[in-house]
Amino acid sequence: MNDRIHFTKGHGTENDFVILDDPDGALELDAATVAALADRRAGIGGDGVIRAVRTRRAGIEAPADAPEWFMDYRNADGSIAEMCGNGVRVLAAHLQRAGHVREDEFAVWTRAGARAVAILQRPPSHGGTWSVRLGMGESRSTQNARTVEVAGHMLSATDVDMGNPHTVAFLPSGLSLEELDLTRRPALDPEPVDGANIELVVELGQRHVVMRVFERGVGETRSCGTGVAAVAVAAALRAGDDTGQPWTVDVPGGRLQVGWTATGEVTLTGPAQLVAEGATLV
């Protein structure tokens, strides 16, 4: 691990991240360092680590017109992830607070491509909550023969690609979402080649659902932005809802809104909060 690493801690609906400000790409961020930073007992603690780095200094391949800033996102176990919806919103708040961007609308480069950000509301001081809308790109959904095993039930599932893979299953009546044991990953059959984030969902009302998520490389988290978007896509498909009207998705850490643009891009709107900053001592 590096001798001293400065960090900011933030979360979006309690999906929390360690943010490393590395504009010039000076940090050597390996899996062991990420895991140490994300460790909730021996480190800072978080569902993931975000390195805020200029795209041209990130050591990645990117098109010439890629946005200036890249979200280098790592899961808590150190593995690399393609995309993180809550993470981009928290990163957007960090970039504006740090003075790296001044516009309320800008784009961020991710491993899943460019993602458009709109700051809808900023706090009056350094603390408080930001409201951020994020363009998630177009979704790709597949209703296939995949099943999720939960509490002895084999549930049919829908695969949704939001730049990263998701498997969404709706619980039958009589099976309590709150009482599910997600300390261990539900089994998928067949298993996706690259794994998947698993979302379990219950309908609450018109265009309103509640979910829990087991994230790939992390475990159960209080929220997952791409998972929320995937659930809304699957719920609209299941309901035969092609109106493009927004869906409300409740997660253990709060509430998010998922909408669609006129061109079919999925949007995710919700809070982002920066809560602490400091430096590691190891």
Side-chain angles (χ1 to χ4, degrees):
M1 195 174 195
N2 296 270
D3 290 338
R4 189 175 182 91
I5 299 179
H6 292 271
F7 69 90
T8 300
K9 181 71 182 290
H11 74 91
T13 52
E14 299 181 6
N15 191 193
D16 60 337
F17 311 98
V18 179
I19 306 160
L20 308 178
D21 198 52
D22 185 31
D24 296 322
L27 286 178
E28 295 182 8
L29 195 60
D30 57 22
T33 300
V34 170
L37 289 168
D39 190 305
R40 295 194 181 278
R41 292 180 175 85
I44 306 304
D47 294 325
V49 173
I50 298 171
R51 183 172 65 122
V53 57
R54 287 190 173 90
T55 305
R56 299 296 167 224
R57 299 295 187 90
I60 60 168
E61 292 186 9
D65 60 350
E68 179 182 6
W69 290 94
F70 171 60
M71 180 184 74
D72 182 8
Y73 183 73
R74 315 293 178 100
N75 295 315
D77 66 353
S79 60
I80 292 174
E82 302 91 342
M83 172 58 184
C84 177
N86 286 326
V88 175
R89 294 200 336 278
V90 172
L91 173 62
H94 166 76
L95 290 173
Q96 223 183 50
R97 178 176 177 270
H100 293 318
V101 298
R102 301 194 180 277
E103 303 83 3
D104 285 339
E105 296 189 11
F106 56 95
V108 172
W109 187 250
T110 75
R111 291 185 175 88
R115 293 293 183 264
V117 170
I119 305 292
L120 305 180
Q121 181 178 336
R122 68 180 74 189
S125 62
H126 289 310
T129 302
W130 308 65
S131 177
V132 183
R133 183 179 65 235
L134 172 65
M136 301 286 287
E138 294 186 6
S139 64
R140 296 188 297 275
S141 57
T142 306
Q143 291 179 306
N144 52 29
R146 198 180 315 283
T147 60
V148 181
E149 183 178 0
V150 178
H153 296 258
M154 302 298 292
L155 308 179
S156 60
T158 299
D159 286 350
V160 181
D161 189 323
M162 291 302 312
N164 60 348
H166 295 267
T167 296
V168 180
F170 289 80
L171 301 190
S173 60
L175 190 56
S176 169
L177 182 65
E178 294 78 10
E179 295 177 4
L180 293 181
D181 180 7
L182 291 185
T183 58
R184 289 187 290 182
R185 178 183 180 273
L188 301 181
D189 185 22
E191 284 285 350
V193 174
D194 296 321
N197 302 284
I198 303 168
E199 287 81 28
L200 304 170
V201 191
V202 169
E203 295 181 6
L204 294 180
Q206 186 177 25
R207 299 190 183 93
H208 189 186
V209 296
V210 59
M211 61 169 269
R212 288 173 67 185
V213 56
F214 193 100
E215 284 200 59
R216 180 183 57 167
V218 185
E220 184 177 12
T221 57
R222 300 280 291 171
S223 180
C224 172
T226 52
V228 165
V231 162
V233 169
L237 181 65
R238 185 171 185 259
D241 177 17
D242 59 0
T243 64
Q245 294 296 309
W247 281 70
T248 299
V249 182
D250 292 345
V251 294
R255 175 171 288 180
L256 292 156
Q257 300 286 333
V258 179
W260 287 264
T261 67
T263 59
E265 181 180 12
V266 180
T267 63
L268 177 73
T269 303
Q273 191 166 9
L274 305 176
V275 299
E277 60 183 7
T280 64
L281 300 179
V282 292

